[in-house]
């Protein structure tokens, strides 16, 4: 199973919206509604932000939203704040009770 | 509150075997749907899914590393162990263990994660 494809970087100004894409195949992203997104600040463990494509764990602001079309999932961060600056990773169930991660996107708040 | 913590050597030599332990609290690995996984991250690089063990002792491995990995659990001690053989400098990474249950039952995601432990492979 190959890693999911994410853009290496994304950026936006405070208050703006940014969308990060995550492209896989019909064997992972396109085949299951089990895409998740993680936020990772430098030196910290990843934090779950979105699961099952669109759902937010309790405590995650509704500024974070997820979607999927075909083999591509997306994470949108609205109303950008300074603390949103971090690395973001997508992940998908890939069948046979295994998963796969994306290559990560560094989000910069300008 | 669910917590996980990784422990193991910080330095291993090439060709040696790495043994990492994940000690967790706040959940039981005998509960249906629950799993504990291992993920690694080389310095400055992306996350990589390694292995996951489920409540029923089902074990899943990354296809590319399957021959080198073994994951086991001790439900009574709330521990999961990952063994990786024939270590190489490219295996230098922070190794995380993480809970897969609740929102993430069935290995669909991980929440929460341990703090991670950095393992350096060097002679």
């Amino acid at each position: 199973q190959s890693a999911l494809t994410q853009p290496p970087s994304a950026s936006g100004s405070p208050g703006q919206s940014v969308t990060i894409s995550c492209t896989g195949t019909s064997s992972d992203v396109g085949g299951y509604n089990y895409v998740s997104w993680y936020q990772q600040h430098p030196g910290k463990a990843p934090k779950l932000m979105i699961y099952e494509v669109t759902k937010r764990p309790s405590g995650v602001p509704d500024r974070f939203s997820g979607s999927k079309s075909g083999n591509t999932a997306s994470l949108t961060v609205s109303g950008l704040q300074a603390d949103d600056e971090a690395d973001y990773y997508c992940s998908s169930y890939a069948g046979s009770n295994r998963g796969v991660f994306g290559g990560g996107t560094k989000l910069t708040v300008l | 509150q669910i917590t996980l913590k990784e422990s193991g050597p910080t330095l291993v030599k090439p060709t040696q075997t790495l043994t990492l332990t994940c000690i967790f609290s706040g959940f039981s690995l005998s509960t249906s749907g629950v799993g504990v996984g291992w993920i690694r991250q080389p310095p400055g690089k992306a996350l990589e899914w390694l292995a996951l063990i489920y409540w029923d002792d089902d074990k899943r491995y990354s296809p590319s590393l399957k021959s080198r990995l073994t994951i086991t659990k001790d439900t009574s001690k709330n521990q999961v162990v990952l063994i990786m053989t024939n270590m190489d400098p490219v295996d230098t990474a922070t190794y995380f263990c993480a809970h897969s249950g609740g929102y993430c039952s069935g290995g669909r995601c991980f929440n929460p994660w341990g703090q991670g432990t950095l393992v350096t492979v060097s002679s």
Side-chain angles (χ1 to χ4, degrees), chain B residues 34-47:
Chain B
V34 173
V36 171
W38 285 93
I39 306 99
R40 71 177 179 181
Q41 184 174 37
K45 296 188 178 181
L47 300 170

Side-chain angles (χ1 to χ4, degrees), chain B residues 24-64:
Chain B
F24 58 85
S25 64
F27 68 96
S28 172
L29 200 37
S30 59
T31 299
S32 178
V34 173
V36 171
W38 285 93
I39 306 99
R40 71 177 179 181
Q41 184 174 37
K45 296 188 178 181
L47 300 170
E48 181 180 14
W49 197 101
L50 297 179
L52 200 154
I53 189 164
Y54 291 90
W55 84 101
D56 59 356
D57 210 36
D58 183 26
K59 302 166 186 177
R60 300 288 167 164
Y61 298 101
S62 164
S64 61

